[in-house]
Amino acid sequence: MKKHILILGLFVILSSCSNNDDDVIIDDGPIFVPDPVSNSITPCANGMAGVYPCNGYDLVAQINLAGLGGASGNDSWGWTDPTTQKEYALMGLNSGTVFIDISDPVNPVVLGNLPTATVSSTWRDVKTYGNYAFIVSEAPGHGMQIFDLTRLRTLTSFQTFAADAHYTGFGDAHNIVINEANGYAYAVGTNTFSGGPHFVDVSNPLNPVAAGGYATDAYSHDAQVVTYNGPDTDYTGREIYIGSNEDEVIIADITDKSNPISISTVSYSNIGYTHQGWFTEDMNYFILGDEADEQNTGGNTRAIVFDFTDLDNPSFHMNYFGPTSAIDHNGYVKGNLFFQANYSAGVRMIDITNIASGTMTEVGFFDTNPDNNNTSFDGAWNVYPYFPSGNIIISDTERGFFIIKKR
């Protein structure tokens, strides 16, 4: 074992490298033990919040990668403690997953990290079910880490965590999907089921059980799973899987885990890479991001909207084009807003009130990458807009963690 102490800005770093049969500790960076971070809200005034271009959204707080303990950032998600109502951010790093108390949003506190299960990776994804976080990575042999989030309630100092459970029914995975209305997790892009969703029963989170999978439509890069209550009454109450499958969107009924059924597929013009999408809340439309069309065919950021009123016959509805040529990544719907993580152009807030008539309008943004709006994979990887407080978190590949809020 080798230990060393480093001082970096406000952060004290303690690194301890070891190997045992249960865990493989990261080998590419120190474990950071940060002091409290002190911030104050930076208002969006005259199109800027400090050095960051903005429209309608203030910068509440930021923690850079050094403060998080990683060399690059990726995914993020959120958890609101049902007992205390405190809000927590969960952010993926190349080296693991970091947990941040944002209940005092101008003074976020890094509570601890869960190191990667095997080795470092650019890709990590985290979702929640109840009081548990489920984490996958493209790191070889990583499997799915399960972490009891209630452990965060009583922390008084930074911790380096071990997983509470570890599912190894697959190795690497690109993403994880959870329909919080039921007790199943869906790992996608694994080395099982041709890269289609790998079903895991997590109704008992600390005892995950393999539950089959769906290989018919091959590799899913990302997906959304819902208990359907939309306009197509043929599927009311069914568990519906919408997969972004590289060159098409697929729809499947996965209610019966032993007999998942293909419903339909839909494609579109100028395909680059069918990446990720999200239902509107009425389930009439599905908004898709293509991660490579800006590079392959040029033009400004494009979101593709499908009419999903008939799941057996989905159809193209419209294209939305943003104001820059930046690459769109992950997008989520909350009410009548579509929150689009737009890499070098930050996060864009798009009003979808009139989507039925073919109109989507940008109404705000916060640009975490002030250097440029290039067609590149730099900047905002993910946005999470679902905290009850209205605070919005952004994970940025180079600049770390952001909290923003509408003015």
Side-chain angles (χ1 to χ4, degrees), residues 62-124:
Q62 179 189 3
I63 305 173
N64 63 23
L65 288 171
L68 299 171
S72 65
N74 44 67
D75 191 50
S76 53
W77 207 247
W79 176 64
T80 301
D81 188 327
T83 299
T84 67
Q85 303 308 308
K86 292 176 70 171
E87 295 176 349
Y88 298 86
L90 292 55
M91 181 172 164
L93 304 169
N94 64 303
S95 52
T97 307
V98 67
F99 303 91
I100 309 166
D101 181 346
I102 63 168
S103 54
D104 177 3
V106 298
N107 294 291
V109 178
V110 181
L111 297 174
N113 75 339
L114 174 62
T116 180
T118 55
V119 297
S120 179
S121 173
T122 301
W123 296 276
R124 195 170 308 278

Coordinates of all heavy atoms in Angstrom, one line a residue, residues 62-124:
Q62 N -20.8 25.6 -8.7 CA -20.0 24.8 -9.6 C -18.9 24.1 -8.8 O -18.3 24.7 -7.8 CB -19.4 25.6 -10.7 CG -18.5 24.7 -11.6 CD -17.7 25.6 -12.6 OE1 -17.7 26.8 -12.6 NE2 -17.0 24.9 -13.5
I63 N -18.6 22.8 -9.1 CA -17.5 22.1 -8.5 C -16.7 21.6 -9.7 O -17.2 20.8 -10.5 CB -17.9 21.0 -7.6 CG1 -18.8 21.5 -6.5 CG2 -16.6 20.3 -6.9 CD1 -19.4 20.4 -5.6
N64 N -15.4 21.9 -9.8 CA -14.6 21.5 -10.9 C -14.2 20.0 -10.7 O -14.4 19.4 -9.7 CB -13.4 22.4 -11.1 CG -12.4 22.4 -10.0 OD1 -12.4 21.5 -9.2 ND2 -11.7 23.5 -9.9
L65 N -13.6 19.5 -11.7 CA -13.2 18.0 -11.7 C -12.2 17.7 -10.6 O -12.3 16.7 -10.0 CB -12.6 17.6 -13.0 CG -13.6 17.5 -14.2 CD1 -12.9 17.3 -15.5 CD2 -14.6 16.4 -13.9
A66 N -11.3 18.7 -10.3 CA -10.4 18.5 -9.2 C -11.1 18.3 -7.9 O -10.8 17.4 -7.0 CB -9.4 19.6 -9.1
G67 N -12.2 19.1 -7.7 CA -13.0 18.9 -6.5 C -13.8 17.7 -6.4 O -14.2 17.3 -5.3
L68 N -14.1 17.1 -7.5 CA -14.9 15.9 -7.6 C -14.0 14.6 -7.5 O -14.5 13.6 -7.2 CB -15.7 15.8 -8.9 CG -16.7 17.0 -9.1 CD1 -17.3 16.9 -10.5 CD2 -17.8 16.9 -8.1
G69 N -12.7 14.8 -7.9 CA -11.8 13.7 -7.8 C -11.7 12.8 -9.0 O -11.3 11.7 -9.0
G70 N -12.0 13.4 -10.2 CA -11.9 12.7 -11.4 C -11.1 13.5 -12.5 O -10.9 14.7 -12.3
A71 N -10.8 12.8 -13.6 CA -10.2 13.5 -14.7 C -11.2 13.9 -15.8 O -10.9 14.8 -16.6 CB -9.1 12.6 -15.3
S72 N -12.3 13.3 -15.8 CA -13.4 13.6 -16.8 C -14.7 13.3 -16.2 O -14.9 12.4 -15.4 CB -13.2 13.0 -18.1 OG -13.3 11.5 -18.0
G73 N -15.8 14.0 -16.7 CA -17.1 13.8 -16.2 C -18.0 13.1 -17.3 O -17.7 13.2 -18.4
N74 N -19.1 12.5 -16.8 CA -20.0 11.9 -17.8 C -21.4 12.0 -17.3 O -21.9 13.1 -17.3 CB -19.6 10.5 -18.1 CG -19.2 9.6 -17.0 OD1 -20.0 9.3 -16.1 ND2 -17.9 9.2 -16.9
D75 N -22.1 11.0 -16.9 CA -23.5 11.0 -16.6 C -23.8 11.6 -15.3 O -22.9 11.8 -14.4 CB -24.0 9.6 -16.7 CG -25.6 9.5 -16.7 OD1 -26.2 10.3 -17.5 OD2 -26.1 8.8 -15.9
S76 N -25.1 11.9 -15.1 CA -25.5 12.4 -13.8 C -27.0 12.0 -13.6 O -27.7 11.8 -14.5 CB -25.4 13.9 -13.7 OG -25.9 14.6 -14.7
W77 N -27.4 12.0 -12.3 CA -28.8 11.8 -12.0 C -29.1 12.4 -10.6 O -28.1 12.9 -10.0 CB -29.1 10.2 -12.0 CG -30.6 9.9 -12.3 CD1 -31.5 9.4 -11.4 CD2 -31.3 10.2 -13.5 NE1 -32.7 9.2 -12.1 CE2 -32.6 9.7 -13.3 CE3 -30.9 10.7 -14.7 CZ2 -33.6 9.8 -14.4 CZ3 -31.8 10.8 -15.8 CH2 -33.2 10.3 -15.6
G78 N -30.3 12.3 -10.1 CA -30.6 12.9 -8.8 C -31.4 12.0 -7.9 O -32.1 11.0 -8.4
W79 N -31.3 12.2 -6.6 CA -32.1 11.5 -5.6 C -32.6 12.5 -4.6 O -31.8 13.3 -4.1 CB -31.3 10.4 -5.0 CG -32.0 9.6 -3.9 CD1 -33.2 8.9 -4.0 CD2 -31.7 9.6 -2.5 NE1 -33.5 8.3 -2.8 CE2 -32.6 8.7 -1.9 CE3 -30.7 10.2 -1.8 CZ2 -32.6 8.5 -0.5 CZ3 -30.6 9.9 -0.4 CH2 -31.6 9.1 0.2
T80 N -33.9 12.4 -4.3 CA -34.5 13.2 -3.2 C -34.8 12.3 -2.1 O -35.7 11.3 -2.3 CB -35.7 14.0 -3.7 OG1 -35.3 14.9 -4.7 CG2 -36.3 14.8 -2.5
D81 N -34.2 12.4 -0.9 CA -34.5 11.5 0.2 C -35.9 11.7 0.7 O -36.4 12.8 1.0 CB -33.5 11.9 1.4 CG -33.6 11.0 2.5 OD1 -34.6 10.4 2.8 OD2 -32.5 10.8 3.2
P82 N -36.7 10.6 0.6 CA -38.2 10.7 1.0 C -38.4 11.0 2.4 O -39.5 11.5 2.8 CB -38.7 9.3 0.6 CG -37.6 8.4 0.6 CD -36.4 9.2 0.2
T83 N -37.4 10.8 3.3 CA -37.5 11.0 4.7 C -37.2 12.4 5.1 O -37.9 13.1 5.8 CB -36.7 10.0 5.5 OG1 -37.1 8.7 5.2 CG2 -36.8 10.3 7.0
T84 N -36.0 12.9 4.6 CA -35.6 14.2 4.9 C -35.9 15.3 3.9 O -35.7 16.5 4.2 CB -34.0 14.2 5.1 OG1 -33.4 13.9 3.9 CG2 -33.6 13.1 6.1
Q85 N -36.3 14.9 2.7 CA -36.5 15.8 1.5 C -35.2 16.5 1.1 O -35.3 17.4 0.2 CB -37.6 16.8 1.8 CG -38.9 16.2 2.2 CD -39.4 15.2 1.2 OE1 -39.5 15.5 0.0 NE2 -39.8 14.0 1.7
K86 N -34.1 16.1 1.6 CA -32.8 16.6 1.1 C -32.5 16.1 -0.3 O -32.8 14.9 -0.7 CB -31.6 16.2 2.0 CG -31.7 16.9 3.4 CD -30.6 16.5 4.3 CE -29.3 17.0 3.9 NZ -28.2 16.7 4.9
E87 N -31.9 16.9 -1.1 CA -31.6 16.6 -2.5 C -30.1 16.2 -2.7 O -29.3 16.9 -2.1 CB -32.0 17.7 -3.5 CG -33.5 18.0 -3.5 CD -34.0 19.1 -4.3 OE1 -33.1 19.9 -4.7 OE2 -35.2 19.3 -4.5
Y88 N -29.9 15.2 -3.5 CA -28.5 14.8 -3.7 C -28.3 14.6 -5.2 O -29.1 14.1 -6.0 CB -28.2 13.4 -3.1 CG -28.4 13.4 -1.5 CD1 -29.6 13.3 -0.9 CD2 -27.3 13.6 -0.7 CE1 -29.8 13.3 0.4 CE2 -27.4 13.7 0.7 CZ -28.6 13.5 1.2 OH -28.8 13.5 2.6
A89 N -27.1 14.9 -5.7 CA -26.7 14.7 -7.1 C -25.7 13.5 -7.1 O -24.9 13.3 -6.2 CB -25.9 15.9 -7.6
L90 N -25.9 12.7 -8.1 CA -25.1 11.5 -8.4 C -24.4 11.8 -9.7 O -25.1 11.9 -10.7 CB -25.9 10.3 -8.4 CG -26.6 9.7 -7.2 CD1 -27.5 10.7 -6.5 CD2 -27.4 8.5 -7.5
M91 N -23.1 11.8 -9.7 CA -22.4 12.2 -11.0 C -21.3 11.1 -11.3 O -20.5 10.7 -10.4 CB -21.7 13.5 -10.9 CG -21.0 13.9 -12.2 SD -20.4 15.6 -12.2 CE -19.3 15.5 -13.6
G92 N -21.3 10.7 -12.5 CA -20.3 9.7 -13.0 C -19.0 10.4 -13.4 O -19.0 11.5 -14.0
L93 N -17.9 9.8 -13.0 CA -16.6 10.3 -13.4 C -15.9 9.1 -14.1 O -16.3 8.0 -14.1 CB -15.7 10.7 -12.2 CG -16.3 11.7 -11.3 CD1 -15.5 11.8 -10.0 CD2 -16.4 13.1 -12.0
N94 N -14.7 9.4 -14.8 CA -14.0 8.3 -15.4 C -13.6 7.3 -14.3 O -13.5 6.1 -14.6 CB -12.7 8.8 -16.1 CG -11.8 9.5 -15.1 OD1 -12.1 10.4 -14.4 ND2 -10.5 9.0 -15.0
S95 N -13.4 7.7 -13.1 CA -12.8 6.9 -12.0 C -13.9 6.3 -11.1 O -13.6 5.5 -10.2 CB -11.9 7.7 -11.2 OG -12.5 8.9 -10.8
G96 N -15.1 6.7 -11.2 CA -16.2 6.2 -10.3 C -17.4 7.1 -10.3 O -17.6 7.9 -11.2
T97 N -18.1 7.0 -9.2 CA -19.3 7.8 -9.0 C -19.2 8.7 -7.7 O -18.8 8.2 -6.7 CB -20.6 6.9 -8.9 OG1 -20.6 6.0 -10.0 CG2 -21.8 7.7 -8.9
V98 N -19.5 9.9 -7.8 CA -19.4 10.8 -6.7 C -20.8 11.3 -6.3 O -21.8 11.4 -7.1 CB -18.5 12.1 -7.1 CG1 -19.2 12.9 -8.1 CG2 -18.2 12.9 -5.8
F99 N -21.0 11.5 -5.0 CA -22.3 11.8 -4.4 C -22.2 13.2 -3.7 O -21.3 13.4 -2.9 CB -22.7 10.7 -3.3 CG -22.7 9.3 -3.9 CD1 -21.6 8.5 -3.9 CD2 -23.9 8.9 -4.5 CE1 -21.7 7.2 -4.4 CE2 -23.9 7.6 -5.0 CZ -22.8 6.8 -5.0
I100 N -23.1 14.1 -4.0 CA -23.0 15.5 -3.6 C -24.3 15.9 -3.0 O -25.4 15.7 -3.5 CB -22.8 16.4 -4.9 CG1 -21.6 15.8 -5.7 CG2 -22.6 17.8 -4.4 CD1 -21.5 16.5 -7.0
D101 N -24.2 16.4 -1.8 CA -25.4 16.9 -1.0 C -25.6 18.3 -1.6 O -24.8 19.2 -1.4 CB -25.1 17.0 0.5 CG -26.2 17.5 1.3 OD1 -27.2 18.1 0.8 OD2 -26.2 17.3 2.5
I102 N -26.8 18.6 -2.2 CA -27.1 19.9 -2.7 C -28.3 20.5 -2.0 O -29.0 21.4 -2.6 CB -27.4 19.8 -4.3 CG1 -28.6 18.9 -4.6 CG2 -26.1 19.3 -5.0 CD1 -29.0 19.1 -6.1
S103 N -28.6 20.0 -0.8 CA -29.7 20.6 0.0 C -29.5 22.1 0.3 O -30.5 22.8 0.4 CB -30.0 19.8 1.2 OG -28.8 19.7 2.0
D104 N -28.3 22.5 0.4 CA -27.9 23.9 0.4 C -27.2 24.2 -0.9 O -26.0 24.0 -1.0 CB -27.0 24.2 1.6 CG -26.6 25.7 1.6 OD1 -27.0 26.5 0.7 OD2 -25.8 26.0 2.5
P105 N -28.0 24.5 -1.9 CA -27.5 24.5 -3.3 C -26.3 25.4 -3.5 O -25.5 25.2 -4.4 CB -28.7 24.8 -4.2 CG -29.6 25.5 -3.3 CD -29.4 24.9 -1.9
V106 N -26.2 26.5 -2.8 CA -25.1 27.4 -3.0 C -23.8 26.9 -2.3 O -22.7 27.4 -2.6 CB -25.4 28.9 -2.6 CG1 -26.5 29.4 -3.4 CG2 -25.7 28.9 -1.1
N107 N -24.0 25.9 -1.5 CA -22.8 25.3 -0.8 C -22.9 23.8 -0.9 O -23.1 23.1 0.1 CB -22.8 25.8 0.7 CG -22.5 27.2 0.8 OD1 -21.4 27.7 0.5 ND2 -23.5 28.0 1.3
P108 N -22.8 23.3 -2.1 CA -22.9 21.8 -2.3 C -21.7 21.1 -1.6 O -20.6 21.7 -1.5 CB -22.8 21.6 -3.8 CG -22.1 22.8 -4.3 CD -22.5 23.9 -3.4
V109 N -21.9 19.9 -1.0 CA -20.9 19.2 -0.3 C -20.7 17.9 -0.9 O -21.6 17.1 -1.1 CB -21.3 19.0 1.2 CG1 -20.3 18.2 1.9 CG2 -21.6 20.4 1.9
V110 N -19.5 17.6 -1.3 CA -19.1 16.3 -1.9 C -19.0 15.3 -0.7 O -18.1 15.5 0.1 CB -17.8 16.4 -2.7 CG1 -17.4 15.0 -3.2 CG2 -17.9 17.4 -3.8
L111 N -19.9 14.4 -0.6 CA -19.9 13.5 0.5 C -19.0 12.3 0.4 O -18.6 11.7 1.4 CB -21.4 13.0 0.7 CG -22.4 14.0 1.0 CD1 -23.8 13.4 1.1 CD2 -22.1 14.7 2.4
G112 N -18.8 11.8 -0.8 CA -18.0 10.6 -1.0 C -18.0 10.1 -2.4 O -18.7 10.7 -3.3
N113 N -17.2 9.1 -2.7 CA -17.3 8.5 -4.0 C -17.3 6.9 -3.9 O -16.8 6.4 -2.9 CB -16.1 9.0 -4.9 CG -14.8 8.4 -4.5 OD1 -14.6 7.9 -3.4 ND2 -13.8 8.4 -5.4
L114 N -17.8 6.3 -4.9 CA -17.8 4.9 -5.1 C -16.9 4.6 -6.3 O -17.2 4.9 -7.4 CB -19.2 4.4 -5.4 CG -19.3 2.9 -5.7 CD1 -18.9 2.0 -4.5 CD2 -20.8 2.6 -6.1
P115 N -15.7 4.0 -6.0 CA -14.7 3.8 -7.1 C -15.3 2.8 -8.1 O -16.1 2.0 -7.8 CB -13.5 3.2 -6.4 CG -13.6 3.7 -5.0 CD -15.1 3.7 -4.7
T116 N -14.8 2.9 -9.4 CA -15.2 2.0 -10.4 C -15.0 0.6 -10.0 O -14.1 0.3 -9.2 CB -14.4 2.3 -11.7 OG1 -14.8 1.4 -12.7 CG2 -12.9 2.2 -11.5
A117 N -15.8 -0.4 -10.5 CA -15.7 -1.8 -10.0 C -14.5 -2.4 -10.6 O -14.0 -3.4 -10.0 CB -16.9 -2.5 -10.5
T118 N -14.0 -1.9 -11.7 CA -12.8 -2.5 -12.3 C -11.7 -1.5 -12.7 O -10.9 -1.1 -11.8 CB -13.1 -3.4 -13.6 OG1 -13.8 -2.6 -14.5 CG2 -13.9 -4.6 -13.2
V119 N -11.8 -0.9 -13.8 CA -10.9 0.1 -14.3 C -11.6 1.4 -14.7 O -12.8 1.4 -14.8 CB -10.0 -0.4 -15.4 CG1 -9.2 -1.6 -15.0 CG2 -10.8 -0.8 -16.6
S120 N -10.8 2.4 -15.0 CA -11.3 3.7 -15.4 C -12.0 3.5 -16.8 O -11.7 2.7 -17.6 CB -10.2 4.7 -15.5 OG -10.7 5.9 -16.0
S121 N -13.0 4.4 -17.0 CA -13.7 4.4 -18.3 C -14.3 5.8 -18.5 O -14.8 6.5 -17.6 CB -14.8 3.4 -18.3 OG -15.6 3.5 -19.5
T122 N -14.4 6.2 -19.8 CA -15.0 7.5 -20.2 C -16.5 7.4 -19.9 O -17.2 8.4 -19.7 CB -14.8 7.8 -21.6 OG1 -13.3 7.9 -21.8 CG2 -15.4 9.1 -22.1
W123 N -17.1 6.2 -20.0 CA -18.5 6.0 -20.0 C -19.0 5.4 -18.7 O -18.5 4.3 -18.3 CB -19.0 5.1 -21.1 CG -18.7 5.8 -22.5 CD1 -19.5 6.7 -23.1 CD2 -17.6 5.6 -23.3 NE1 -18.9 7.1 -24.3 CE2 -17.7 6.4 -24.4 CE3 -16.5 4.8 -23.2 CZ2 -16.8 6.4 -25.5 CZ3 -15.5 4.8 -24.2 CH2 -15.7 5.6 -25.3
R124 N -19.9 6.0 -18.0 CA -20.5 5.5 -16.8 C -21.9 6.1 -16.7 O -22.2 7.2 -17.2 CB -19.7 6.0 -15.5 CG -20.0 5.3 -14.2 CD -19.0 5.6 -13.2 NE -17.6 5.5 -13.6 CZ -17.0 4.4 -13.7 NH1 -17.5 3.2 -13.3 NH2 -15.7 4.3 -14.2

